Amino acid sequence: MASLGLSFPPASKTPTYLASSSSSFFSHSSLSLKTSLSRSRNSVFASVVKCDMPESLNVGNGNPSIPIINERTLPKFLESARMEKSVSRTNTRLKLFSGTANPALSQEIAWYMGLDLGKINIKRFADGEIYVQLQESVRGCDVYLVQPTCTPTNENLMELLIMVDACRRASAKKVTAVIPYFGYARADRKTQGRESIAAKLVANLITEAGADRVLACDLHSGQSMGYFDIPVDHIYCQPVILDYLASKSIPSEDLVVVSPDVGGVARARAFAKKLSDAPLAIVDKRRSGHNVAEVMNLIGDVKGKVAIMVDDMIDTAGTIVKGAALLHQEGAREVYACCTHAVFSPPAIERLSGGLLQEVIVTNTLPVAEKNYFPQLTILSVANLLGETIWRVHDDSSVSSIFL
């Protein structure tokens, strides 16, 4: 039996993957990303609520910028929030467990919440079957399982289902599936005859496994929430990206937000509204097949502007790169790509590092392998958002149980 068991350090110590040789908030790339948060009144982001971040960044030699919360440097509003939780919420019945899909994010969430990750043993048998055993009691506890259904999608999904089943059979009071990236979300409707709606199937599997609630980030379409017969908390990661963009202090008259397709117009419009109601442009894209994008034309004016393309995920990067090429053709001065989920299926890295994009800004809802780093890449942490959401959901459920 091949063992892939997990073992995490206690939350009070800095994990090795979070350790750094300086007190910088990022370790960064060849791009000179200065994040001195000058609160200039001329800044386009003057109306956006910003985090208190360090005055400057330490610029490395060719590594991507990876802003990850660690014990050495933390924005003031997070530091105060974490101290309050650590002091007043240590004797809670809340349990946090991690699957094998993204243990780094799970550890960050646990540290922000002032908790230790729960002890769990996850193994693979020789034939690939998954074995899960909780190594501490969860009887009567409010349990949260952090597991994005990323590559390998089917294995990570099955692992999540078995984790839910293990918690249910261990008499957990409530089981919440924390799914930073919800796989199969693109198969949310029938666009051709005889197609499956896999998003509904996966929702049924999670519900039938015994989950009481689902917490997900930036679903491909909001209608996916309706596929679940249990409550779904839909978290938007835009504030993390907006706060990072605020450090660049781009004048409002130079900005235009671009939707890479018609389906993402609502997302781009919401993003533009938070950027001092920046103008909106739309790329008219038509697909000839799955993962194949054909850009036709542009709706809107981008000449001489700094274009910010907003999408929920980057898979093969065909849509983003062809859209960026069109924007440069129409006279855009710079093009930034902002998305939540960095799927990065081949040949995404080759396309994104080709020079058309000034910067590719993603979050760590999915783990990005070091081999997929490139100079324009910036990875932002969503651990604070997920940690805060978990606390609030837990507090609400605790209050509700008092009156039952």
Side-chain angles (χ1 to χ4, degrees), residues 81-92 391 395:
R82 182 181 183 274
M83 288 301 296
E84 181 263 328
K85 292 174 179 59
S86 298
V87 171
S88 64
R89 295 175 173 175
T90 52
N91 297 321
T92 180
W391 270 128
D395 287 345

Side-chain angles (χ1 to χ4, degrees), residues 93 95 136-143 167 169-173:
R93 298 292 291 171
K95 298 282 188 178
E136 59 184 77
S137 175
V138 296
R139 184 178 299 275
C141 293
D142 190 5
V143 179
C167 292
R169 295 179 186 279
S171 300
K173 180 180 179 182

Side-chain angles (χ1 to χ4, degrees), residues 120-331:
I120 185 171
N121 185 20
I122 302 176
K123 298 181 180 180
R124 300 288 193 275
F125 287 102
D127 63 352
E129 290 183 9
I130 300 170
Y131 171 83
V132 173
Q133 181 190 30
L134 303 179
Q135 296 187 311
E136 59 184 77
S137 175
V138 296
R139 184 178 299 275
C141 293
D142 190 5
V143 179
Y144 293 81
L145 307 174
V146 183
Q147 175 81 341
T149 54
C150 53
T151 304
T153 306
N154 296 331
E155 283 201 21
N156 287 328
L157 173 60
M158 194 65 196
E159 185 178 303
L160 173 63
L161 298 177
I162 297 175
M163 290 170 66
V164 171
D165 182 70
C167 292
R168 181 59 60 201
R169 295 179 186 279
S171 300
K173 180 180 179 182
K174 179 182 174 184
V175 181
T176 300
V178 181
I179 312 175
Y181 171 70
F182 180 63
Y184 288 104
R186 284 173 284 186
D188 57 359
R189 65 190 185 281
K190 291 182 67 172
T191 57
Q192 303 177 54
R194 300 173 296 281
E195 282 186 332
S196 68
I197 303 179
K200 172 59 177 172
L201 172 63
V202 173
N204 287 343
L205 290 172
I206 295 171
T207 303
E208 291 301 317
D212 297 293
R213 194 181 195 100
V214 167
L215 194 157
C217 296
D218 282 336
L219 293 169
H220 187 65
S221 61
Q223 70 197 44
S224 298
M225 289 186 288
Y227 294 158
F228 290 89
D229 296 325
I230 54 179
V232 177
D233 293 294
H234 190 191
I235 299 176
Y236 296 94
C237 298
Q238 283 186 357
V240 174
I241 298 175
L242 287 166
D243 200 53
Y244 173 73
L245 289 174
S247 66
K248 297 182 177 298
S249 300
I250 305 172
S252 57
E253 61 271 13
D254 291 346
L255 265 180
V256 59
V257 175
V258 181
S259 173
D261 53 34
V262 175
V265 171
R267 183 185 302 108
R269 184 183 293 116
F271 197 90
K273 187 175 181 180
K274 292 180 175 66
L275 296 184
S276 296
D277 207 12
L280 182 68
I282 304 169
V283 175
D284 177 23
K285 177 195 70 177
R286 300 184 185 182
R287 289 189 183 274
S288 57
H290 295 296
N291 294 127
V292 178
E294 182 181 356
V295 173
M296 302 301 292
N297 49 50
L298 180 70
I299 304 170
D301 180 26
V302 298
K303 189 173 182 179
K305 303 280 188 179
V306 175
I308 299 179
M309 298 184 70
V310 180
D311 209 349
D312 63 319
M313 70 174 71
I314 298 178
D315 190 357
T316 60
T319 297
I320 290 291
V321 170
K322 288 188 177 182
L326 178 63
L327 293 172
H328 280 294
Q329 182 182 330
E330 295 293 328

